[in-house]
């Protein structure tokens, strides 16, 4: 939890409490349903919570924004973002029911009121309701664009144009090539100094 305070020192007491509760909740659920690698559960705050919050270094979502987390797994990046942005609506979607269950139970346990969940594929989510779709290593960007462009609202609320915000790692040039004029990339290592973030990036596609 110290690593979260290091980069987000202005958390409210409620946000501190909610973030702090995640370790025990995920450890408990992970022992029943494996949503985080057993080897990685001890790195929950650095590799999962803080990684998710890199999106908050890129954009401060405006009140009333709607964000879909596609392929949310056990709740990343959606749950840490929902804790940080309590006035933003989050819709967490995954095609694997047991992962959605874990994310839902964790959100309920920490008292999140601004999240909803769907056990569904991205193709099944209808309506241009979202300012942003966020993802973490779910699918290649070109497939992602095809899947969710139908869901992006035309109404602009935020400083960043509506679109996709994807957490990615490694070499992205080839993956981004088909849409290079629509992509902007940020190095997470510009925000977080830990070695694990050296190859991690945030990609915005509009």
């Amino acid at each position: 939890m110290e690593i979260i305070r290091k980069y987000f020192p202005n958390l409210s007491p409620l946000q501190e409490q909610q973030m702090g509760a995640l370790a025990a909740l995920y450890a408990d659920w992970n022992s029943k349903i494996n949503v985080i690698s057993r080897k990685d559960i001890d790195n929950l705050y650095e590799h999962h919570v803080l990684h998710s919050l890199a999106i908050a270094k890129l954009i401060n979502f405006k009140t009333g924004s709607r964000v879909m987390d596609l392929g949310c797994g056990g709740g990343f990046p959606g749950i840490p973002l929902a804790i940080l942005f309590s006035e933003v609506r989050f819709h967490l979607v995954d095609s694997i029911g047991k992962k959605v269950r874990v994310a839902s139970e964790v959100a309920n346990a920490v008292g999140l009121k601004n999240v909803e969940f769907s056990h569904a594929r991205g193709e099944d989510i209808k309506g241009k309701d979202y300012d942003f779709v966020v993802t973490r290593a779910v699918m290649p960007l070109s497939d992602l664009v095809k899947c969710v462009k139908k869901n992006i609202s035309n109404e602009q609320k935020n400083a960043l144009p509506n679109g996709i915000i994807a957490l990615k790692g490694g070499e992205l040039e080839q993956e981004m090539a088909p849409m290079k004029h629509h992509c902007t990339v940020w190095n997470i290592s510009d925000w977080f100094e830990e070695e694990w973030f050296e190859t991690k990036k945030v990609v915005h596609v509009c």
Side-chain angles (χ1 to χ4, degrees):
M1 185 59 196
E2 281 306 315
I3 200 169
I4 307 302
R5 293 190 191 102
K6 174 180 173 180
Y7 293 108
F8 295 89
N10 300 316
L11 295 176
S12 70
L14 175 60
Q15 288 169 327
E16 279 260 352
Q17 181 187 333
Q18 290 172 321
M19 292 281 188
L22 295 179
L25 287 166
Y26 277 108
D28 180 46
W29 275 106
N30 218 50
S31 67
K32 303 176 228 177
I33 298 172
N34 190 20
V35 292
I36 294 169
S37 162
R38 296 268 196 263
K39 294 179 293 187
D40 209 29
I41 192 70
D42 291 340
N43 299 312
L44 178 81
Y45 282 107
E46 181 177 332
H47 294 183
H48 300 277
V49 180
L50 187 59
H51 189 208
S52 299
L53 294 176
I55 290 172
K57 292 295 187 183
L58 175 64
I59 179 170
N60 185 16
F61 293 116
K62 293 275 180 67
T63 295
S65 296
R66 282 182 54 83
V67 178
M68 176 176 20
D69 176 1
L70 180 62
C72 67
F76 301 101
I79 286 178
L81 290 172
I83 292 172
L84 201 63
F85 296 104
S86 60
E87 302 302 316
V88 173
R89 294 293 310 173
F90 289 87
H91 184 187
L92 276 62
V93 178
D94 202 282
S95 60
I96 300 174
K98 64 183 181 181
K99 291 185 176 181
V100 176
R101 182 187 172 206
V102 171
S104 175
E105 294 284 354
V106 169
N108 286 339
V110 300
L112 288 178
K113 303 285 194 287
N114 57 329
V115 291
E116 59 181 309
F117 298 87
S118 292
H119 172 205
R121 293 165 56 81
E123 295 85 345
D124 303 326
I125 305 297
K126 308 299 183 192
K128 293 177 85 70
D129 293 337
Y130 303 96
D131 300 286
F132 294 94
V133 174
V134 298
T135 71
R136 194 169 76 135
V138 169
M139 64 179 82
L141 286 170
S142 55
D143 296 339
L144 193 54
V145 169
K146 285 177 199 162
C147 181
V148 302
K149 63 182 178 182
K150 68 187 187 312
N151 302 118
I152 305 294
S153 169
N154 297 321
E155 184 190 336
Q156 295 288 332
K157 292 191 188 79
N158 292 275
L160 203 64
N162 290 1
I164 295 165
I165 302 174
L167 292 165
K168 290 277 186 179
E171 180 48 61
L172 293 174
E173 229 167 82
Q174 199 171 345
E175 185 177 339
M176 287 168 42
M179 61 200 75
K180 61 184 177 185
H181 300 301
H182 301 280
C183 289
T184 312
V185 184
W186 289 263
N187 294 314
I188 295 180
S189 58
D190 290 343
W191 303 317
F192 304 148
E193 66 185 8
E194 285 71 20
E195 186 180 338
W196 190 78
F197 294 106
E198 279 182 8
T199 60
K200 302 293 188 286
K201 297 174 171 63
V202 182
V203 182
H204 174 237
V205 187
C206 61

